[in-house]
Amino acid sequence: MKTIVTTLVLGATLAVPLSASAQVSAQGTLNNFSYSLVDLLPNDGIAPSLSIVKPLYPEQPGTRAIGYISESGLRQTAETSEDKSRVLYSRNLDASMSVAQGAVVSTVGGTNFQTLALGTAASTKNGAGYDRRAFASNYVMIEEFVLAPGTQVRFFADASGSVSKSLPNTSTLKESSTFTASMSFPEFSANGYPDFVSEFSLRAPSWSADPNSPYSESASERLSIMFQNTRATSVNLKVLLTLWSEANSLDTSPVASPVPEPATYGMLIAGLALVAGMARRKRPA
């Protein structure tokens, strides 16, 4: 299901990649999902297994993609795409748009766990006197995993992203961008399972060692989380995947008043002369 919320129309919304002229941007992907199993009790007669079944009472929505753009707290455009079908891997979602102030892309696709692919991107364009923010995010809550007794499972995924700023920082211009990807078992904490969450993030800060230079960084990382079922019965596992891209541009420099061109003055004088002529023709004899 797709929902579009617009408090003030900024322009046409298009599901397109980030503009090459974007001054602040963050983008990345999470894909190449896989898992490995280890038999913790090789003599119990139970083979290690991880089953994927349709959840009886799935959390709703299990998948969501969000795109959001705002300007100085006065203008904002948002789009949300949700999956409420309760069908295994019915998760092709798109919440993307492009306006004059920036662009966001948020997509989720895949026909099974191995082919799942999450992508987000956000960018803003600098404008004097404006505070602009754009973010794209999505999450997938997978509830279909059933782990056999005496089995250890380790999930893997590849995260890659980039952040950049094309303008140097000044006393009136502050730009920043952030990308974050994570995979976790939402029902467990670090107390009993130190590998319950894995996160990868990049940040182009609003400050830098060299304020006269722009900032750009690209990197990738292999995410990994692990769970051990030491019980005598099977365990239902939930896996949460999240992706976030955000771009911010704050320009407090004053907005210069436009100076009319000579041609504008000429048109103004001609208009006044025309009005005066019409008034003279309507004057009674």
Side-chain angles (χ1 to χ4, degrees):
M1 184 175 89
K2 225 177 226 194
T3 303
I4 300 178
V5 180
T6 306
T7 57
L8 183 61
V9 177
L10 300 179
T13 59
L14 300 172
V16 297
L18 293 184
S19 169
S21 62
Q23 294 174 323
V24 191
S25 67
Q27 56 190 329
T29 59
L30 185 63
N31 52 23
N32 295 330
F33 292 93
S34 62
Y35 63 86
S36 64
L37 301 176
V38 175
D39 193 348
L40 301 176
L41 303 172
N43 299 321
D44 64 353
I46 301 177
S49 66
L50 182 72
S51 303
I52 297 180
V53 299
K54 182 177 180 179
L56 185 60
Y57 301 108
E59 294 185 9
Q60 295 297 325
T63 307
R64 175 176 289 173
I66 300 173
Y68 175 88
I69 299 175
S70 68
E71 177 180 274
S72 301
L74 299 178
R75 304 175 180 179
Q76 57 184 358
T77 297
E79 181 172 340
T80 301
S81 182
E82 299 176 347
D83 172 32
K84 296 184 177 181
S85 63
R86 299 198 178 194
V87 177
L88 282 175
Y89 295 98
S90 174
R91 295 174 175 139
N92 292 315
L93 305 182
D94 188 336
S96 306
M97 56 190 167
S98 177
V99 297
Q101 288 74 15
V104 289
V105 176
S106 179
T107 59
V108 178
T111 57
N112 55 44
F113 176 68
Q114 283 79 8
T115 60
L116 269 177
L118 285 69
T120 58
S123 70
T124 58
K125 298 178 182 179
N126 178 51
Y130 290 107
D131 181 4
R132 290 173 176 168
R133 179 187 182 220
F135 74 77
S137 66
N138 50 46
Y139 72 79
V140 177
M141 175 73 79
I142 305 176
E143 305 176 70
E144 298 96 23
F145 294 120
V146 179
L147 187 62
T151 303
Q152 170 190 295
V153 61
R154 185 175 290 275
F155 291 97
F156 304 94
D158 291 331
S160 61
S162 63
V163 291
S164 65
K165 303 187 302 180
S166 62
L167 296 177
N169 293 327
T170 66
S171 59
T172 60
L173 176 63
K174 302 297 180 184
E175 296 180 339
S176 64
S177 59
T178 305
F179 169 75
T180 302
S182 69
M183 180 169 58
S184 64
F185 297 115
E187 297 181 306
F188 304 105
S189 66
N191 294 331
Y193 302 93
D195 295 335
F196 84 108
V197 62
S198 181
E199 184 177 276
F200 167 72
S201 62
L202 296 172
R203 182 170 183 262
S206 57
W207 52 267
S208 63
D210 185 359
N212 296 318
S213 299
Y215 185 94
S216 178
E217 180 181 6
S218 299
S220 60
E221 185 171 305
R222 182 79 159 162
L223 302 186
S224 173
I225 56 176
M226 183 268 289
F227 179 84
Q228 295 186 129
N229 182 15
T230 57
R231 305 175 189 177
T233 58
S234 299
V235 172
N236 289 6
L237 291 178
K238 295 181 181 180
V239 176
L240 178 62
L241 313 172
T242 64
L243 212 59
W244 179 279
S245 295
E246 180 176 352
N248 296 278
S249 176
L250 172 60
D251 192 340
T252 58
S253 59
V255 180
S257 299
V259 178
E261 297 290 335
T264 304
Y265 283 117
M267 292 177 63
L268 177 60
I269 294 173
L272 292 174
L274 178 61
V275 172
M278 293 178 64
R280 182 175 300 174
R281 293 177 61 182
K282 291 182 180 180
R283 184 179 304 169

